[in-house]
Amino acid sequence: MRYIILIILFSLFTWQAAGQSDSTKTQGEIISGEVVVEKDNKIVLPVAEKIFLRSTANTLDTSPIEIDFQINEPLFEWPNYKSDVPFQTVEENYPHEKFQNYVKFGFGNYSSPLLEAGFFKKFNQFETNAKVFYESFKSGPVNGDNSGNSNGGIELSGTYKKNSIAIIPRMKYTNQQYNFYGNANRVNNGFDSSKPDDNSLNDFVFDVALSGTKGDVSYTITPNFSFTNQSISPENSGNKELSIGTDASLSYKIDEKFNTGFDLNANSASYDGGIQIDRSLVNVKPWVTHKVDKLSIKAGFIISSGKVGDNSKTGFYPDLSAKYELNDDWSIYGLLSGGQSWNSLSSTLNENQFLDDSLTIVHSEYVTSFGGGFKGKPFNNILLDVGLTFNSVEGLPFYTPSPSDSSRYTLSYDSESVGIVTLSSSISFMPTSISTYGLKLDINSFSVESLDKAWHKPTYVIQAFTSHNIQEKLIVSAYFTSIGGLRGPANVDFGSVKLSAFTDIGVSAKYLITKQVSAFITANNLLNDEYERYLGYPTRGLSFKLGGQYRF
């Protein structure tokens, strides 16, 4: 009953806020575009101040909308998950050069300070951005201080543009401090909940994007370097990985109907975590596109060559997609593809940071990937996308308890290909230029052979959001996420546990006191449910934060 009451109140509040909005104002704007379902897009759950992370599922890739995300402070607070429905709100039509500098501070329950600052400077054709941030929680849901955590870092970027050439260097460093706090009621092998081991996770990424055009030719090349180090104490173990890579693309416009080009992705990494494994992967994707009236076709193939330790594999895969416009409002699409996908230590820890050392990280091979769907506008200001995809994947990682310490997880793989069927639907509603609503539903079916279950993979994920700019002074946003169908191993040797389905609701509001000064409040997990995304690791209950921000 409390779920129903909260959802009703949530709906009434957001619709009332929309009714108070003045559609003639331009202080908030929504990016309009088509909803897409992406093959390699990960299902990312709200992190808020919790220290668990997420699982993945693969859906269809057609023609994604490009959104320009900058390092600068976001214009309103939102949980850290990406929806397929793009949107953005704007507080005021301030000149960017003057108002991208800010200092933000806050404090909440669980003794949780927040400090963030962003800086922007323009020198003729060169722009620089910098951001520093820190947030910590002294305590958590298990044994008080033993489940506290902190997260801090710095981001730097620059942009140089001259004529048709752009150079964008970017650097990001993050540090997370947390414990293997587990749950003594479920985790009991090699684990002392009163003395959990400490984790320090450092992640450094640097890349330089070079892009340009010359006549009918356009190109992009982005060399990158990264270093990830997870240090576990007091036993002085952990995981670390150094990797280098390059992403590149080249396209040539033949005429109004034909384009051709190729994409290149190359990565190489050296992993050390009790065991040492070198990995490399190169994907080359030549393609050609053709448009005839209402039919758009992209045809190509993928040569994928990967190596893990002494094992290597080279494969050839089709890469075909098509879209047919039924009318001005509706279209249907389809895709057939495959290839090997790069998995890094950083991306693995982004899904589940409670990992033991001695990990076997391999490439995920999409032996077959196909699907289709439709998208369009059933009514004005409403976008709808529905897709059905099938993936057959070798090397898909699952998280199971470590044999030496069941408060930690290790990577397990099925001996055969894992079948994944995903039904995805997304809808967005934009009644005015300063109000937006979105809803996304994913239903997944996993087929495994040697594993007992598809450990910690969700059978359904529901995400919803809304955002409003009210009377040019108050910016309100809210999210709703529901996850179900999760299963985890009961222990190392036997059984399984069905994790309870959970719903997470959060709201945030920012009030503009002056053009430079604002106050904010955020609240997460309004149902106060200490649910488990990974077995043995409950999240914090209701949490909130109050603070302010100064722009200069």
Side-chain angles (χ1 to χ4, degrees):
M1 180 61 70
R2 63 173 181 168
Y3 290 80
I4 297 174
I5 293 174
L6 281 170
I7 292 171
I8 292 173
L9 291 175
F10 172 79
S11 302
L12 290 174
F13 168 76
T14 54
W15 281 106
Q16 183 180 7
Q20 294 173 347
S21 301
D22 184 353
S23 61
T24 64
K25 303 295 183 181
T26 59
Q27 274 69 27
E29 66 184 1
I30 309 300
I31 298 177
S32 62
E34 295 177 325
V35 181
V36 299
V37 182
E38 299 179 346
K39 167 189 156 193
D40 295 320
N41 188 32
K42 296 186 175 181
I43 295 176
V44 184
L45 309 181
V47 127
E49 69 290 331
K50 310 170 184 61
I51 61 177
F52 73 90
L53 287 155
R54 287 84 53 192
S55 177
T56 63
N58 293 280
T59 51
L60 187 64
D61 182 13
T62 53
S63 301
I65 298 170
E66 295 182 358
I67 307 174
D68 183 18
F69 292 101
Q70 298 182 356
I71 279 178
N72 307 305
E73 178 263 354
L75 297 177
F76 70 97
E77 313 312 314
W78 193 248
N80 188 24
Y81 75 84
K82 179 182 178 182
S83 170
D84 281 340
V85 182
F87 70 99
Q88 183 181 25
T89 62
V90 177
E91 294 180 1
E92 294 279 356
N93 292 327
Y94 301 147
H96 286 294
E97 292 79 6
K98 185 177 180 180
F99 290 98
Q100 285 185 335
N101 301 316
Y102 72 94
V103 176
K104 180 179 179 180
F105 56 90
F107 194 84
N109 60 338
Y110 296 101
S111 298
S112 56
L114 166 70
L115 179 62
E116 186 178 305
F119 306 95
F120 171 84
K121 186 69 176 178
K122 186 174 182 178
F123 307 92
N124 297 324
Q125 295 171 319
F126 189 68
E127 297 178 356
T128 59
N129 291 273
K131 176 183 175 181
V132 294
F133 57 93
Y134 175 81
E135 186 176 24
S136 66
F137 296 82
K138 184 178 179 181
S139 61
V142 177
N143 293 326
D145 294 356
N146 287 338
S147 52
N149 72 293
S150 66
N151 180 28
I154 182 171
E155 301 177 16
L156 302 173
S157 74
T159 302
Y160 175 79
K161 294 182 180 180
K162 186 174 183 180
N163 300 326
S164 59
I165 297 176
I167 302 174
I168 305 176
R170 295 169 293 197
M171 185 277 288
K172 182 176 182 179
Y173 168 76
T174 58
N175 172 265
Q176 299 181 58
Q177 303 283 339
Y178 58 97
N179 298 323
F180 287 114
Y181 62 86
N183 185 331
N185 294 327
R186 293 218 175 134
V187 178
N188 50 35
N189 181 36
F191 170 67
D192 183 357
S193 61
S194 65
K195 298 179 181 180
D197 293 332
D198 298 326
N199 261 288
S200 178
L201 176 57
N202 296 279
D203 205 6
F204 175 84
V205 180
F206 175 76
D207 65 31
V208 179
L210 171 64
S211 62
T213 60
K214 186 174 183 180
D216 294 326
V217 177
S218 62
Y219 61 88
T220 301
I221 182 169
T222 309
N224 57 78
F225 168 86
S226 66
F227 179 71
T228 303
N229 183 26
Q230 178 198 22
S231 178
I232 304 173
S233 60
E235 61 187 58
N236 195 28
S237 64
N239 302 286
K240 60 183 178 180
E241 181 173 271
L242 185 150
S243 65
I244 58 174
T246 299
D247 296 328
S249 65
L250 177 69
S251 64
Y252 172 67
K253 182 180 180 180
I254 301 173
D255 55 34
E256 295 301 322
K257 295 183 177 180
F258 283 93
N259 290 272
T260 188
F262 76 90
D263 300 321
L264 169 69
N265 311 106
N267 293 281
S268 178
S270 177
Y271 167 82
D272 186 0
I275 58 176
Q276 295 183 345
I277 301 177
D278 293 334
R279 307 188 317 282
S280 63
L281 178 63
V282 177
N283 286 316
V284 180
K285 308 175 184 180
W287 52 265
V288 61
T289 63
H290 181 51
K291 181 174 176 60
V292 181
D293 296 328
K294 297 182 178 182
L295 178 63
S296 300
I297 299 174
K298 182 176 182 179
F301 58 87
I302 300 173
I303 301 174
S304 186
S305 180
K307 185 175 182 180
V308 179
D310 296 329
N311 300 316
S312 61
K313 184 173 185 178
T314 300
F316 181 90
Y317 310 86
D319 190 23
L320 308 170
S321 62
K323 182 178 74 171
Y324 182 77
E325 298 174 2
L326 300 173
N327 52 44
D328 292 340
D329 294 329
W330 292 95
S331 63
I332 57 176
Y333 58 86
L335 172 123
L336 173 63
S337 189
Q340 297 183 68
S341 176
W342 177 259
N343 295 318
S344 67
L345 175 62
S346 178
S347 64
T348 303
L349 286 167
N350 266 338
E351 289 189 30
N352 183 349
Q353 58 187 320
F354 304 108
L355 296 180
D356 206 349
D357 59 4
S358 303
L359 300 174
T360 303
I361 302 175
V362 302
H363 311 315
S364 296
E365 181 189 6
Y366 288 79
V367 181
T368 304
S369 180
F370 65 89
F374 62 89
K375 55 186 174 181
K377 300 178 181 179
F379 303 100
N380 289 335
N381 302 321
I382 295 181
L383 302 174
L384 174 67
D385 191 337
V386 178
L388 179 66
T389 62
F390 172 80
N391 292 295
S392 178
V393 188
E394 293 183 0
L396 182 69
F398 295 87
Y399 299 105
T400 56
S402 169
S404 60
D405 184 346
S406 55
S407 71
R408 308 181 189 184
Y409 284 94
T410 190
L411 302 180
S412 297
Y413 300 91
D414 198 272
S415 60
E416 303 293 335
S417 296
V418 177
I420 309 172
V421 179
T422 301
L423 174 63
S424 297
S425 61
S426 301
I427 187 169
S428 68
F429 174 49
M430 294 166 280
T432 70
S433 63
I434 53 178
S435 294
T436 183
Y437 302 84
L439 175 66
K440 187 175 188 297
L441 168 65
D442 289 290
I443 300 175
N444 305 300
S445 174
F446 297 89
S447 176
V448 295
E449 294 292 334
S450 61
L451 295 177
D452 292 337
K453 304 288 182 182
W455 302 122
H456 294 104
K457 303 295 185 183
T459 58
Y460 72 84
V461 178
I462 304 172
Q463 297 174 334
F465 69 82
T466 185
S467 176
H468 308 274
N469 188 332
I470 304 172
Q471 300 299 321
E472 305 176 15
K473 284 289 187 180
L474 179 63
I475 298 173
V476 180
S477 61
Y479 74 86
F480 171 96
T481 299
S482 183
I483 311 293
L486 299 168
R487 286 186 174 272
N491 208 322
V492 177
D493 300 321
F494 60 89
S496 67
V497 173
K498 183 177 180 181
L499 280 72
S500 298
F502 61 84
T503 297
D504 194 329
I505 301 174
V507 296
S508 66
K510 176 182 286 187
Y511 182 74
L512 307 180
I513 302 171
T514 69
K515 288 186 176 181
Q516 284 78 38
V517 179
S518 61
F520 72 87
I521 180 173
T522 63
N524 297 286
N525 199 358
L526 294 179
L527 300 181
N528 197 30
D529 181 12
E530 294 184 353
Y531 55 83
E532 297 177 55
R533 176 58 183 86
Y534 291 102
L535 184 63
Y537 280 92
T539 67
R540 293 185 180 91
L542 172 65
S543 62
F544 59 86
K545 191 171 265 88
L546 301 170
Q549 177 177 293
Y550 174 69
R551 292 180 178 271
F552 57 94

